[in-house]
Amino acid sequence: MRPTMNMVMIGVEDVGAVRGFYEDGLGWVAWRTGGSGSVMYRAGGVVLVFLAAGYLAAERGVAVPRGGATSLASFVANRNEVDDALSRAAAAGAVVTSPPRDRDGGLYSGYFDDPQGVSWEVVWSPNMALAEDGSLVAGG
């Protein structure tokens, strides 16, 4: 198996609520919708898929916990974008779980949970710049 990742699938209780949060609240545009009621968003070179938790559980053969134990991270170009992103997420219904602050390694970031409990970190790093395509470049 090659070390690649093309898609992240997240099981949620209410795909419609997810669409409202990401599209109406954060301004994302759906890339595709699936026959299973899923919605897909392009996130750089990866596709983020939200689908019904019950469907995902049946497909993978194990229960899907609410929110999970994973945090997704979105890197931004500067510290102000961290603050702006957390404010916009909160206004759209997210719960800020850790406000923006300086962190280890020179990072500046904050965390929020979307309305379905999916954890996000919004990060600015002096050590990892963003390429024009949105991918990370080591060495900032």
Side-chain angles (χ1 to χ4, degrees):
M1 182 172 148
R2 294 181 303 134
T4 62
M5 181 174 49
N6 305 95
M7 183 176 284
V8 175
M9 297 183 295
I10 300 173
V12 297
E13 293 302 317
D14 187 342
V15 175
V18 165
R19 290 195 76 169
F21 175 76
Y22 288 97
E23 294 172 28
D24 300 334
L26 300 185
W28 290 21
V29 176
W31 179 59
R32 296 183 64 182
T33 56
S36 63
S38 65
V39 61
M40 302 176 200
Y41 301 98
R42 300 267 326 165
V46 176
V47 176
L48 185 60
V49 181
F50 291 98
L51 65 165
Y55 179 84
L56 181 58
E59 288 292 303
R60 72 183 220 180
V62 294
V64 176
R66 187 177 194 282
T70 301
S71 288
L72 304 174
S74 178
F75 282 70
V76 295
N78 60 59
R79 295 168 68 98
N80 290 337
E81 287 187 38
V82 172
D83 297 335
D84 293 346
L86 268 285
S87 293
R88 185 169 184 178
V95 174
V96 175
T97 58
S98 181
R101 65 177 171 86
D102 292 313
R103 300 186 190 263
D104 294 340
L107 300 178
Y108 181 76
S109 74
Y111 287 81
F112 70 86
D113 284 355
D114 79 7
Q116 295 290 305
V118 176
S119 175
W120 282 88
E121 180 184 22
V122 182
V123 187
W124 171 78
S125 171
N127 304 311
M128 288 183 276
L130 290 174
E132 196 168 307
D133 68 357
S135 62
L136 291 174
V137 178

